[in-house]
Amino acid sequence: MPKPSSSSSNFAMKKCYRQENNVDADCSCCHLKEKQEETDAEDQISRLPNDVLVLILSHLPMKDAAKTNILSRRWRYLWTFFTGTLDFDASLTLEELRFPLGSGNLNSLREERLRFVRWVDQVLGLHQALTVDGLRIIFDVGYECDVDNWVKFALDKKVQKLELDFTDLRMADYSELYAFPSHLFENSNPSSLTALHLKRVNVTGGTLECLLSHCPFLEVLSVKNSSSLLSLNIWGPTLKLKYLEIWGCRNFEKLEISAVNLLSFSYRGPEVVHFKHVPQLLELSVAGSFFKVVVDKLFKHLSFLSQLKTLNLHFTGPLKLIMTGPQQFPELNNLKYLELKVSLLEFGDLFLLAPLLRASPSLHKLTLLRCHLETYRL
């Protein structure tokens, strides 16, 4: 056998200072060894196939996934195959611009709009995956961007969750809001959609009814501050809708609900709601003038109230205006959580709740909140 060279023997017998003296001190050989181990660990990740790396990236927030493009040439475009939620949430920037919104901040808003629109257009233009789980766009985008193209992108990518929140810092007239496009459904199939959230987006009842009929898996529908929504008929034997929220649609005239799978309904608006068939409804949240309707009429005539587990009642007025005189409430045997939010709450008002509390023998939690009137502006 060949004898090992003296240099290799010397190296094999050589001990580092930290090992020989059993102390925690830095030395060059141990530092190099640790560095080599870190490099080996990095190499293990790099040896993974691209589809596995893309799967890992798709479980990260979109911004973090995009930052990996600086790692190496191989990583440069991996993030463009991201299949998670494309999240363009700039609500924090909106809050920074909100107060005060003077002429200087209006200029800043225009600059932020341009920057935001470029960001969205660039990411959507580079995206290469066939599908994407979700698309969230939250900003005051103004009127100089192609939102139709963003919605078409979502439909073409078979998005499951779509959220458009175009909160307007200037509180412009409702007629100036972006109109959700029904014509895009002619060439794109929205059947993969499971959740749709629209805020300060004009959408008609006909468009929503068309969506419900073409989206067999739609479970969540939320519409806030739409002036185009005049009437809506929710029905269908195959309807999967579980969560419905209609909030602040000032021109609303009629809402009929017949949804066998509906679990939660949240509403603020005029007194135009008609419950046809909601056998699974467990959570009801109402606000505004519809609050008094619930107390005065619906409590006495709706059979589904006995199955409720959560009830939230919000009213922009003192409690004594709606809880007047002896109230007869139906038995709410399953009610566990009750929340009352009013603009004026006095100590004596607690006695007004006694009939409601007696009708709720299983109540676990009662929450009383005082709100400001401006909280409920449309």
Side-chain angles (χ1 to χ4, degrees):
M1 292 181 61
K3 296 178 63 178
S5 65
S6 58
S7 59
S8 62
S9 298
N10 291 337
F11 180 80
M13 296 181 64
K14 184 178 180 181
K15 294 182 178 180
C16 73
Y17 176 87
R18 187 160 48 179
Q19 292 174 334
E20 186 175 1
N21 296 278
N22 193 28
V23 295
D24 291 332
D26 290 333
C27 65
S28 58
C29 61
C30 290
H31 178 70
L32 291 173
K33 182 179 179 181
E34 292 171 353
K35 198 72 174 176
Q36 182 63 40
E37 291 175 350
E38 293 176 2
T39 303
D40 291 342
E42 293 174 359
D43 289 340
Q44 291 295 329
I45 295 177
S46 297
R47 292 192 186 101
L48 294 173
N50 284 352
D51 55 347
V52 175
L53 293 177
V54 169
L55 182 62
I56 295 173
L57 291 179
S58 297
H59 284 80
L60 297 175
M62 181 192 70
K63 288 183 179 180
D64 293 340
K67 290 177 183 177
T68 61
N69 73 329
I70 65 173
L71 295 179
S72 69
R73 182 175 297 178
R74 180 192 176 194
W75 286 81
R76 185 174 182 182
Y77 294 108
L78 277 180
W79 71 273
T80 64
F81 293 90
F82 180 87
T83 60
T85 297
L86 298 176
D87 192 349
F88 302 95
D89 183 355
S91 53
L92 291 179
T93 303
L94 276 181
E95 288 302 317
E96 293 174 358
L97 294 171
R98 188 180 298 276
F99 302 110
L101 193 59
S103 58
N105 270 31
L106 281 176
N107 291 331
S108 298
L109 175 59
R110 295 188 190 98
E111 295 174 1
E112 289 296 336
R113 278 176 174 170
L114 292 174
R115 185 178 294 110
F116 181 85
V117 170
R118 282 197 299 265
W119 175 36
V120 176
D121 287 341
Q122 182 180 22
V123 172
L124 299 190
L126 290 173
H127 191 264
Q128 301 185 66
L130 296 178
T131 62
V132 63
D133 290 341
L135 176 63
R136 297 181 73 237
I137 302 178
I138 304 177
F139 196 66
D140 180 351
V141 296
Y143 320 107
E144 298 180 0
C145 57
D146 192 358
V147 181
D148 279 6
N149 192 48
W150 298 349
V151 176
K152 184 178 184 303
F153 170 91
L155 298 178
D156 290 344
K157 297 287 184 175
K158 297 178 173 56
V159 71
Q160 297 179 29
K161 299 177 182 179
L162 176 60
E163 179 176 356
L164 301 178
D165 180 350
F166 297 151
T167 298
D168 188 351
L169 291 182
R170 299 179 299 110
M171 298 302 290
D173 187 83
Y174 276 60
S175 62
E176 300 180 11
L177 299 181
Y178 169 73
F180 195 75
S182 59
H183 65 274
L184 292 181
F185 305 144
E186 299 174 1
N187 300 318
S188 301
N189 187 358
S191 60
S192 60
L193 202 62
T194 62
L196 176 63
H197 299 264
L198 302 175
K199 183 175 181 181
R200 288 194 69 80
V201 172
N202 276 338
V203 60
T204 65
T207 298
L208 292 178
E209 291 170 9
C210 179
L211 265 174
L212 289 169
S213 64
H214 287 83
C215 300
F217 305 109
L218 189 68
E219 295 185 352
V220 180
L221 176 60
S222 174
V223 180
K224 294 182 178 181
N225 307 116
S226 171
S227 64
S228 298
L229 187 57
L230 305 180
S231 66
L232 180 61
N233 187 9
I234 296 179
W235 69 279
T238 62
L239 199 63
K240 302 294 184 184
L241 192 66
K242 294 182 179 180
Y243 304 92
L244 175 63
E245 182 177 41
I246 306 293
W247 202 262
C249 298
R250 59 172 64 180
N251 297 322
F252 215 21
E253 298 175 354
K254 183 180 180 182
L255 173 60
E256 293 187 353
I257 305 175
S258 179
V260 295
N261 294 302
L262 191 67
L263 299 176
S264 175
F265 175 56
S266 179
Y267 179 78
R268 183 188 190 275
E271 308 162 12
V272 296
V273 181
H274 305 279
F275 296 97
K276 297 294 186 180
H277 188 49
V278 284
Q280 303 289 338
L281 191 64
L282 299 177
E283 180 177 355
L284 177 64
S285 300
V286 295
S289 59
F290 192 60
F291 180 113
K292 187 168 176 54
V293 175
V294 170
V295 174
D296 288 348
K297 300 177 182 179
L298 299 188
F299 266 143
K300 301 175 182 178
H301 302 292
L302 292 183
S303 59
F304 72 81
L305 290 173
S306 61
Q307 70 201 31
L308 290 179
K309 290 187 177 181
T310 301
L311 179 61
N312 301 315
L313 301 174
H314 301 174
F315 181 65
T316 55
L319 188 62
K320 58 186 177 184
L321 288 184
I322 48 176
M323 296 288 192
T324 55
Q327 296 284 342
Q328 295 294 325
F329 294 102
E331 290 296 322
L332 304 173
N333 294 322
N334 292 309
L335 191 65
K336 298 184 183 302
Y337 305 98
L338 174 62
E339 178 178 291
L340 293 173
K341 182 182 290 187
V342 293
S343 60
L344 181 60
L345 185 63
E346 300 175 354
F347 179 77
D349 293 343
L350 298 179
F351 296 101
L352 299 175
L353 299 176
L356 180 56
L357 297 180
R358 280 196 296 267
S360 311
S362 302
L363 193 65
H364 287 182
K365 183 178 180 180
L366 170 64
T367 303
L368 298 177
L369 299 173
R370 181 180 176 183
C371 65
H372 298 290
L373 289 176
E374 55 267 22
T375 302
Y376 289 105
R377 288 180 180 171
L378 290 179

